[in-house]
Amino acid sequence: MKKNYKIEVDCANCANKMEEAANRTEGVKQATVNFMALKMVVEFEDGCEPSAVMEEVRKNCKKVEDDCEIYF
């Protein structure tokens, strides 16, 4: 399952860090961040609960870029 999320991030480098953090999160099959569109597309592993996985994605992204935000 793929879902789109609106994000708030200040620079392309920060967006790249968010993408890497999201991809390291358990339950995420693949995540891509589009800085220009301020959008994150997340494909989830089968059997995962997207809302629970996204809470972990948010935590991991905050570790690398504390002023970023993901809206879901």
Side-chain angles (χ1 to χ4, degrees), residues 1-5 29-32 40-46 50 54:
M1 169 190 323
K2 277 188 183 180
K3 289 194 165 204
N4 296 317
Y5 298 94
K29 190 172 190 176
Q30 181 179 7
T32 55
M40 177 185 280
V41 179
V42 180
E43 183 176 358
F44 299 95
E45 297 283 349
D46 293 336
M54 286 308 295

Side-chain angles (χ1 to χ4, degrees), residues 5-7 34-40:
Y5 298 94
K6 184 178 187 284
I7 62 170
N34 184 322
F35 171 66
M36 296 302 288
L38 294 177
K39 183 172 87 170
M40 177 185 280

Side-chain angles (χ1 to χ4, degrees), residues 7-58:
I7 62 170
E8 190 175 302
V9 63
D10 297 332
C11 69
N13 187 43
C14 299
N16 188 48
K17 289 179 183 178
M18 286 179 66
E19 182 176 295
E20 290 172 358
N23 277 307
R24 288 192 303 266
T25 304
E26 188 174 332
V28 174
K29 190 172 190 176
Q30 181 179 7
T32 55
V33 173
N34 184 322
F35 171 66
M36 296 302 288
L38 294 177
K39 183 172 87 170
M40 177 185 280
V41 179
V42 180
E43 183 176 358
F44 299 95
E45 297 283 349
D46 293 336
C48 290
E49 177 58 43
S51 60
V53 173
M54 286 308 295
E55 282 297 331
E56 291 303 311
V57 168
R58 177 183 278 161

